[in-house]
């Protein structure tokens, strides 16, 4: 919901200079786990008129959440000054807009607001159910859908043929949105053939992705701020938080947890392959 | 068989070579396997469609959008909204599994030899062109799923009854879904139910009906400038519409002429 300063038919706290004598402020905190995004909203409303209406049940606070990417748009009502709401993780992706309001829960035939601009002096208004009575400053946050089953850790990495000639060891470039894994021509050609064989997928993950992920985790641990704005960095940090991996856990263990125990999967696939070959 | 999606970098590459591939977009059969990297372009997901995506081809003026929206949403009802906005999924379906439907419904011949227009058309109908909701309603396959998702109502005898109203005319689809208010579930279902209740006056061909539907959508949008429609129930949305409809029935001069 794009909020612009507008002229309401009645004075609205927080809208331009409608009510110089009162303010409505909201702060937001975000957290997430694999199932949900959690948004904690804390509001402070200095309008006595609105506080009275909320106490009487004639008005309430509203948290409005909108995510254009997933066409998600919902309003949540509350009356405490701080409240935590949860949204299923599979409903949000990318930029999410949050806004705070106070809205009328009943029709109010004679609405007068203490602290309103002198232009409104002596005037009263008719307010209908749902009418906005206060607006707070909204915020944007980024929901990154690393839990989604269509997406895999691999989506933060891309394997490419190295521009350098000749044989050389695998190289990694971290200066882009995705981690670039560069293989020399011979290795890249071999990789291109082997990745088509499903039984070898987990081996390739272990051989190529695991060491690169460890390298990336070392960079995150070092606190180097030069990489913080890249998608791979944000994505991995959130993954670490969601898996509740302790900060002091070593990068090798973290990487294996993030990749869901790749060694075990590779050994399992090898056993299946060996059983099939000997049958 | 689980649903396939294209690899991220393959989608980027395919998007970047639309103009080079324009000749292929006229082909009868899917051609992804024939281009470099095409054989390894897709990966399996964990999503298993409930039925095959055998879409019906348009028959003259009957575009079969409703039947196909029901089919696509029904087959892929387990998709989450986050999965259903993934450009890799829809690019794969439009270019591989549902290619023959795409050729029949969204053939590029309509632009003759205008390469720029054709390129833009392919970008919007065969890919998710931008990171915004409107692009989902343009892609030839994604739109069918989202129409079903946004209007499916399990509590109705026919859960897709409101999908039928939404797709009854292109104008209704645009008036509702191209406004942000159309994403508020009770506003969306309230508006469609209102049209259904007054179908004689509001649904079907004719300028007078189109003008009234546009007026009502605009009115709801105006009310939403002051009132948090998101907090109203469906019955309250219906009440707002009832009141305005009554007003324009009595005073038709309030309606803007058809454009």
């Amino acid at each position: 919901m794009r909020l612009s300063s507008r002229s309401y038919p009645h004075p609205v706290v927080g809208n331009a200079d409608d009510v110089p004598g009162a303010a409505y402020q909201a702060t937001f905190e975000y957290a997430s786990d694999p199932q949900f995004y959690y948004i904690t909203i804390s509001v402070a409303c200095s309008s006595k008129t609105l506080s009275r209406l909320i106490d009487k049940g004639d008005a309430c606070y509203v948290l409005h959440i909108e995510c254009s990417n997933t066409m998600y748009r919902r309003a949540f009502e509350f009356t405490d000054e701080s409240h935590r709401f949860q949204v299923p993780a599979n409903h949000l992706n990318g930029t999410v807009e949050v806004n705070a309001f106070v809205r009328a829960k009943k029709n109010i035939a004679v609405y007068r607001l203490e602290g309103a601009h002198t232009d409104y002096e002596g005037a009263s208004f008719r307010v209908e159910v749902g009418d906005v009575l206060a607006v707070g400053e909204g915020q944007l946050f980024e929901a990154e859908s690393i839990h989604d089953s269509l997406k895999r850790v691999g989506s933060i990495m891309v394997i490419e043929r190295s521009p350098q000639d000749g044989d050389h060891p695998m190289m990694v470039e971290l200066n882009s949105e995705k981690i670039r894994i560069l293989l020399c021509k011979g290795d890249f050609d071999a990789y291109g053939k082997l990745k088509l064989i499903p039984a070898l997928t987990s081996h390739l993950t272990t051989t190529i992705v695991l060491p690169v992920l460890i390298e990336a985790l070392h960079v995150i641990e070092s606190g180097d701020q030069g990489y913080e704005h890249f998608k791979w960095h944000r994505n991995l940090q959130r993954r670490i938080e969601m898996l509740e991996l302790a900060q002091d856990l070593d990068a090798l263990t973290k990487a294996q947890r993030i990749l869901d125990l790749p060694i075990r999967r590779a050994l399992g696939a090898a056993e299946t392959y060996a059983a099939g070959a000997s049958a | 068989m689980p649903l396939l999606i294209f690899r991220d970098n393959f989608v980027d590459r395919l998007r970047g070579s639309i103009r080079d591939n324009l000749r292929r977009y006229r082909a009868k059969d899917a051609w992804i396997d024939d281009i470099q990297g095409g054989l390894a372009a897709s990966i399996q997901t964990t999503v298993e469609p409930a039925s095959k995506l055998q879409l019906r081809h348009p028959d003259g003026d009957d575009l079969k959008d409703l039947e196909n929206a029901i089919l696509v949403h029904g087959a892929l009802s387990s998709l989450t909204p986050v999965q259903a906005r993934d450009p890799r999924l829809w690019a794969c379906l439009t270019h591989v599994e549902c290619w023959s439907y795409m050729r029949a419904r969204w053939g590029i011949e309509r632009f003759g030899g205008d390469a720029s227009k054709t390129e833009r058309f392919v970008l919007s109908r065969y890919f998710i062109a931008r990171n915004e909701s409107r692009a989902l309603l343009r892609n030839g396959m994604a739109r069918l799923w989202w129409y079903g998702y946004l209007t499916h109502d399990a509590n109705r005898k026919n859960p897709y009854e409101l999908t039928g109203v939404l797709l009854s005319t292109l104008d209704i689809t645009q008036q509702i879904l191209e406004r942000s208010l159309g994403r508020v579930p009770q506003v969306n279902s309230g508006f469609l139910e209102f049209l259904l209740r007054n179908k004689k006056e509001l649904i079907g061909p004719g300028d007078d009906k189109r003008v009234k539907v546009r007026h009502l959508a605009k009115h709801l949008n105006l009310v939403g400038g002051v009132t948090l429609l998101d907090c109203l129930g469906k019955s309250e949305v219906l009440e707002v519409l009832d009141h305005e409809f009554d007003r324009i029935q009595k005073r038709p001069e309030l309606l803007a002429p058809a454009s």
Side-chain angles (χ1 to χ4, degrees):
Chain A
M1 179 187 272
R2 299 268 172 260
L3 279 182
S4 50
S5 185
R6 59 185 78 170
S7 292
Y8 290 88
H10 53 269
V12 169
V13 176
N15 182 55
D17 61 352
D18 283 9
V19 192
Y24 178 58
Q25 288 173 325
T27 54
F28 307 92
E29 283 174 36
Y30 313 102
S32 60
D33 64 22
Q35 274 80 45
F36 295 100
Y37 288 100
Y38 301 95
I39 301 171
T40 304
I41 177 169
S42 303
V43 294
C45 182
S46 66
S47 163
K48 286 179 188 163
T49 310
L50 292 188
S51 298
R52 275 198 299 272
L53 287 173
I54 291 165
D55 287 346
K56 270 174 64 186
D58 290 349
C60 64
Y61 301 116
V62 177
L63 167 67
H64 190 273
I65 305 174
E66 183 163 6
C67 177
S68 168
N69 257 349
T70 54
M71 301 201 209
Y72 180 90
R73 184 173 155 152
R74 298 283 187 285
F76 298 90
E77 300 183 355
F78 59 108
T79 50
D80 309 329
E81 285 179 351
S82 183
H83 208 96
R84 180 162 118 138
F85 294 95
Q86 61 184 44
V87 179
N90 55 28
H91 280 69
L92 301 179
N93 175 269
T95 305
V96 180
E97 197 176 349
V98 290
N99 282 293
F101 302 94
V102 174
R103 70 112 173 167
K105 290 189 81 174
K106 290 183 179 164
N107 292 336
I108 304 170
V110 181
Y111 179 65
R112 287 198 184 94
L113 189 61
E114 285 175 50
H117 194 280
T118 48
D119 287 354
Y120 296 110
E121 206 170 301
S124 68
F125 304 86
R126 180 176 168 76
V127 162
E128 308 268 342
V129 173
D131 280 2
V132 174
L133 303 180
V135 290
E137 193 169 334
Q139 238 181 43
L140 301 176
F141 80 94
E142 288 296 316
E144 297 198 28
S145 58
I146 58 176
H147 317 295
D148 193 81
S149 56
L150 290 184
K151 299 218 173 203
R152 294 156 202 279
V153 170
S155 70
I156 60 164
M157 295 185 189
V158 56
I159 299 177
E160 295 174 0
R161 187 184 151 180
S162 166
Q164 286 185 26
D165 290 334
D167 271 353
H168 62 75
M170 175 173 80
M171 297 188 298
V172 177
E173 280 191 13
L174 300 170
N175 282 314
S176 54
E177 291 298 327
K178 288 188 179 189
I179 296 170
R180 294 176 67 212
I181 303 174
L182 303 174
L183 301 179
C184 66
K185 184 183 180 305
D187 289 350
F188 185 76
D189 290 346
Y191 166 75
K193 286 176 194 155
L194 294 173
K195 73 177 180 183
L196 301 178
I197 304 168
L200 297 181
T201 308
S202 44
H203 295 277
L204 291 173
T205 305
T206 313
T207 313
I208 301 175
V209 177
L210 180 62
V212 173
L213 186 57
I214 293 170
E215 180 74 14
L217 289 168
H218 279 309
V219 169
I220 291 177
E221 282 170 8
S222 74
D224 188 335
Q225 294 183 344
Y227 301 100
E228 278 181 357
H229 58 288
F230 291 126
K231 183 179 170 187
W232 68 262
H233 193 288
R234 297 197 308 268
N235 197 325
L236 279 179
Q237 274 216 309
R238 288 176 57 81
R239 187 94 181 166
I240 291 166
E241 285 164 23
M242 281 161 204
L243 290 171
E244 294 177 350
L245 302 178
Q247 289 291 329
D248 56 355
L249 203 62
D250 61 278
L252 174 63
T253 309
K254 273 184 196 161
Q256 291 180 80
R257 293 283 306 280
I258 289 169
L259 292 173
D260 195 17
L261 305 178
I263 308 282
R264 185 179 298 169
R265 285 191 289 117
L267 291 172
E271 274 179 0
T272 308
Y273 179 76
S278 63
Chain B
M1 183 184 165
L3 208 54
L4 295 176
I5 57 173
F6 279 154
R7 292 175 190 280
D8 227 358
N9 51 359
F10 185 77
V11 177
D12 291 344
R13 192 153 68 79
L14 203 57
R15 270 182 68 141
S17 45
I18 294 174
R19 188 158 298 216
D20 297 338
N21 285 326
L22 278 187
R23 182 182 51 80
R24 291 192 162 101
Y25 280 96
R26 294 177 200 276
K28 181 172 173 283
D29 299 315
W31 42 269
I32 289 298
D33 287 354
D34 304 335
I35 62 170
Q36 197 193 0
L39 282 170
S42 41
I43 44 177
Q44 272 191 3
T45 67
T46 52
V47 177
E48 192 84 44
S51 59
K52 274 196 161 184
L53 290 172
Q54 284 176 330
L55 274 68
R56 298 184 66 186
H57 289 200
D59 181 10
D61 288 343
D62 182 2
L63 299 173
K64 309 282 186 205
D65 279 355
L66 175 59
E67 292 92 323
N68 287 331
I70 294 171
L71 196 151
V72 172
H73 181 253
L76 303 176
S77 57
S78 66
L79 281 184
T80 68
V82 168
Q83 290 171 332
R85 54 122 353 250
D86 195 317
R88 299 171 306 166
L89 167 65
W90 302 115
C92 189
L93 284 176
T94 53
H95 286 83
V96 182
E97 193 172 345
C98 302
W99 174 256
S100 71
Y101 163 75
M102 288 298 292
R103 284 292 294 126
R105 177 70 176 86
W106 301 106
I108 63 169
E109 287 73 11
R110 66 191 75 187
F111 298 107
D114 190 330
S116 296
K117 274 189 185 166
T118 312
E119 192 177 6
R120 284 200 298 276
F121 178 80
V122 168
L123 181 63
S124 69
R125 297 299 182 184
Y126 288 72
F127 295 87
I128 301 296
R130 288 177 309 280
N131 207 9
E132 60 177 42
S133 55
R134 202 168 292 184
L136 293 170
L137 301 174
R138 303 284 296 164
N139 176 282
M141 290 299 299
R143 64 194 281 276
L144 297 172
W145 189 89
W146 282 96
Y147 290 158
Y149 174 75
L150 291 168
T151 53
H152 180 264
D153 182 352
N155 295 319
R156 287 179 176 272
K157 196 173 158 196
N158 169 9
Y160 291 104
E161 188 177 21
L162 297 182
T163 318
V165 180
L166 179 80
L167 295 173
S168 55
T169 67
L170 185 61
D171 201 50
I172 290 178
T173 317
Q174 281 173 346
Q175 290 303 317
I176 297 175
L177 293 187
E178 296 206 354
R179 293 175 196 269
S180 164
L181 272 180
R183 288 94 200 244
V184 184
Q186 66 276 21
V187 172
N188 189 7
S189 61
F191 195 90
L192 293 172
E193 193 165 314
F194 184 81
L195 298 183
L196 191 62
R197 285 184 189 181
N198 299 283
K199 63 178 171 190
K200 219 171 132 190
E201 293 95 341
L202 296 173
I203 299 179
D207 275 353
D208 59 329
K209 289 174 181 158
R210 186 155 51 95
V211 167
K212 284 177 188 168
V213 170
R214 283 184 183 188
H215 178 91
L216 289 169
K218 253 188 208 169
H219 176 72
L220 208 51
N221 211 30
L222 274 177
V223 172
V226 176
T227 305
L228 272 175
L229 292 177
D230 308 65
C231 295
L232 301 186
K234 190 165 82 177
S235 60
E236 289 162 316
V237 173
L238 284 166
E239 214 173 287
V240 171
L241 290 167
D242 259 330
H243 184 265
E244 185 61 17
F245 188 50
D246 195 38
R247 205 168 73 97
I248 57 173
Q249 292 288 74
K250 286 177 186 154
R251 294 183 57 197
E253 71 274 14
L254 293 172
L255 294 168
S259 53

